[in-house]
Amino acid sequence: MNKKTKKNGFKFSIKHIRKEDVESSMSVKLCLAGFYGLELGKETDWSVDNRYRMQAQALMMIEAGLSKLFIAFNEEKLPIGMVIVTKTEVPKIKRIESIVVFESFRKLGVGRALIDHVRGDSDLHSFSVPGAVEWHLKNGFKNIGIKEDDGTYEMFTGRYKPKYTFDYVLPMMTAEDQRAIDALARLEPPSLTHKNA
């Protein structure tokens, strides 16, 4: 399903990426690498290894049908942002696994449109990096508190404490994955590697 949107004179569409199309889509690869590789690298102290594992898990969750991926495309059909949402056993709560709008397309209403698209009549639960807390607050989330173990902030749109469980899969890293992690760590810009030392 494509939803065409126009915010502040900027036209874009939001498309649900079917789990069957995830492996063959270059847009999916660009969005996942952009979020887990670049955005989280800039915003957190998380290692390449941790971010690689998170990206692998997100991909597996989508392929297993446990999470859904929505990508925003500009008029030229280029990906400009994404959101991954996971269903929980509480129908009223959806878990936002990741949301990103690429820098050139921020402050155009894309992030808000992605959130509105997946929200429906549910409350949204998310963990925000420090640099995105203000955005979350402006878009209806409340800051529940910081998670000391990873430096993210727990955010929620409801007026109650979110309690739920959800199904998930964990990737089993192979020797090939470890070679990729090692290569990525060598390629990571010096501005990011000081955090991962």
Side-chain angles (χ1 to χ4, degrees), residues 57 60-61 64 66-67 86-87 97 165-171:
Q57 183 178 19
M60 289 176 69
M61 293 280 290
L66 300 172
S67 296
T86 299
K87 59 185 174 183
E97 300 297 339
T165 60
F166 61 100
D167 292 330
Y168 61 91
V169 292
L170 292 174

Side-chain angles (χ1 to χ4, degrees), residues 127-140:
F127 291 91
S128 172
V129 296
V133 170
E134 285 302 314
W135 180 88
H136 279 81
L137 294 173
K138 288 178 185 175
N139 286 282

Side-chain angles (χ1 to χ4, degrees), residues 1-2 15-32 58-65 67-71 73:
M1 178 184 92
N2 278 357
K15 180 180 179 186
H16 172 236
I17 307 299
R18 297 177 326 142
K19 64 183 182 179
E20 298 82 17
D21 299 331
V22 166
E23 273 299 316
S24 62
S25 171
M26 183 56 73
S27 294
V28 170
K29 291 172 179 65
L30 287 170
C31 287
L32 293 176
L59 191 57
M60 289 176 69
M61 293 280 290
I62 296 163
E63 290 172 340
S67 296
K68 290 185 177 183
L69 170 63
F70 298 87
I71 297 180
F73 293 91

Side-chain angles (χ1 to χ4, degrees), residues 40-64:
L40 287 182
K42 290 189 290 188
E43 290 284 337
T44 68
D45 291 336
W46 301 342
S47 68
V48 169
D49 180 76
N50 188 25
R51 290 180 278 133
Y52 185 94
R53 289 173 189 273
M54 290 174 71
Q55 179 176 331
Q57 183 178 19
L59 191 57
M60 289 176 69
M61 293 280 290
I62 296 163
E63 290 172 340

Side-chain angles (χ1 to χ4, degrees), residues 22 24 42 53 60 78 94 98 118-119 129 146 149 152:
V22 166
S24 62
K42 290 189 290 188
R53 289 173 189 273
M60 289 176 69
L78 296 173
K94 292 179 184 173
S98 57
V118 299
R119 177 179 283 153
V129 296
I146 190 167
D149 62 332
T152 61

